[in-house]
Amino acid sequence: VQLQASGGGLVQAGASLRLSCAASGGTISWTAMGWFRQVPGYEREFVAAVNWDGESASYADFVKGRFTISRDNNKNTVYLDMNSLKPEDTAVYYCARGNARVASRSKFVGWGQGTQVTVSS
């Protein structure tokens, strides 16, 4: 399964963006999916994850209340809605496929190409 993230861009602080992660070459319907981000020189960090059925999600503390992860299994796509963006949200955002249905039991083993999000102050 190949993953392609899109939707990044340059926005001002306080703006919103929606990232999409489209899967091809197979289905992601039965696995947890996650979003991560990385700033050059720093380790990749967890942002959010959603279970296979979209019924349960988890978030890093620094995005709770601002970001929402969702999925449309019919479209083989996962989304990350980002609101109230801050300059410190600037990073390359990656989607990843888990190896289990439930995010808390998953290791994220399949990574897509990232999309750059830049938030100006």
Side-chain angles (χ1 to χ4, degrees):
V1 177
Q2 289 78 46
L3 303 175
Q4 180 64 58
S6 62
L10 171 62
V11 298
Q12 290 189 330
S16 299
L17 279 175
R18 169 175 255 205
L19 305 184
S20 298
C21 173
S24 60
T27 182
I28 58 170
S29 297
W30 309 113
T31 63
M33 294 293 294
W35 284 97
F36 294 75
R37 69 187 189 185
Q38 188 169 24
V39 175
Y42 292 83
E43 290 190 357
R44 192 172 296 183
E45 62 181 357
F46 170 78
V47 175
V50 64
N51 289 355
W52 69 280
D53 58 0
E55 293 295 317
S56 181
S58 57
Y59 298 91
D61 287 344
F62 53 78
V63 302
K64 282 182 179 177
R66 299 189 299 125
F67 291 11
T68 302
I69 187 172
S70 61
R71 65 191 299 160
D72 185 339
N73 286 341
N74 290 327
K75 295 183 178 179
N76 226 19
T77 301
V78 180
Y79 304 98
L80 185 68
D81 288 298
M82 306 188 295
N83 298 313
S84 302
L85 282 162
K86 304 176 182 180
E88 51 264 43
D89 293 320
T90 295
V92 177
Y93 284 72
Y94 298 89
C95 58
R97 178 173 56 89
N99 62 357
R101 293 194 177 195
V102 177
S104 61
R105 299 174 188 167
S106 279
K107 291 184 179 179
F108 290 92
V109 296
W111 296 87
Q113 291 186 333
T115 184
Q116 175 71 46
V117 173
T118 303
V119 185
S120 63
S121 58

